[in-house]
């Protein structure tokens, strides 16, 4: 899911405000977990808006994966450069760092995650608009560009395209 730079800034600001839960008195595990899920959902909604429930759930899961990657990378980097230990309170990780060191580590983490993504060859913009027509039947869909599998029909060796079965009846007479 994509969003504008303005929405990203709003989401970052909301996330920063939500991180202030570290200032609350210590909470029990269940309450801390509920607060963590609630603040994560608020941050994701502020960034991407309100979507279908499944999309929102996927966005929250991606948010957690990115958070785990960031926190894990920061933890490794903190051990490498002998930083003070981490403080976790109410589900928020706090690093007792100078602002300059925090920015440097955040930039290093960004580059490490970017390198990992490039290594895995993940392309989030690998879609295009596809128009299919047969006679008077026309269909326009969003297609996923081949990720390198180069699927071919084994006998004719023509390239194949996978289309959701919901469109099967529209094009049942195409050979």
């Amino acid at each position: 899911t994509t969003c504008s730079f303005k929405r990203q800034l709003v989401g970052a600001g909301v996330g920063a405000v939500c991180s202030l839960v570290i200032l609350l008195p210590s909470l029990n595990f269940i309450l801390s977990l509920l607060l963590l899920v609630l603040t994560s959902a608020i941050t994701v909604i502020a960034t991407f808006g309100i979507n279908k429930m499944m999309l929102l759930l996927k966005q929250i899961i991606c948010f957690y994966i990115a958070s785990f990657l960031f926190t894990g990378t920061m933890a490794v980097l903190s051990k490498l450069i002998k930083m003070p230990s981490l403080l976790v309170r109410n589900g928020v990780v706090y690093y007792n760092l100078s602002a300059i060191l925090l920015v440097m580590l955040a930039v290093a983490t960004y580059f490490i995650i970017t390198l990992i993504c490039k290594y895995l060859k993940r392309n989030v913009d690998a879609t295009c608009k596809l128009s299919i027509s047969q006679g008077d039947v026309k269909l326009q869909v969003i297609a996923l560009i081949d990720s390198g599998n180069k699927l071919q029909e084994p006998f004719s060796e023509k390239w194949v395209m996978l289309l959701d079965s919901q469109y099967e009846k529209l094009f049942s007479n195409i050979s």
Side-chain angles (χ1 to χ4, degrees), residues 1 7 15 18 34-35 42 44 51 79 91 102-103 109 118 123 129 137 156 162 164 169:
T1 307
R7 297 272 330 215
C18 288
L34 289 173
L35 190 59
I42 290 169
V44 169
N51 298 302
K79 293 293 181 191
L102 182 62
V103 169
T109 300
K118 283 185 180 185
N123 186 353
K129 289 182 182 176
V137 178
S156 68
L162 305 176
D164 195 289
K169 291 180 183 176

Side-chain angles (χ1 to χ4, degrees), residues 69-78 80-81 83 97 99-117:
L69 281 172
F70 180 79
T71 304
T73 305
M74 290 288 284
V76 168
L77 291 174
S78 71
L80 290 175
I81 59 174
M83 290 185 335
L97 308 173
I100 293 171
L101 185 56
L102 182 62
V103 169
M104 288 172 40
L105 288 172
V107 168
T109 300
Y110 171 79
F111 283 115
I112 289 168
I113 291 173
T114 301
L115 286 173
I116 290 170
C117 290

Side-chain angles (χ1 to χ4, degrees), residues 26-33 90:
S26 289
L27 304 171
N28 68 39
F29 176 76
I30 299 295
L31 195 54
S32 181
L33 184 64
N90 296 332

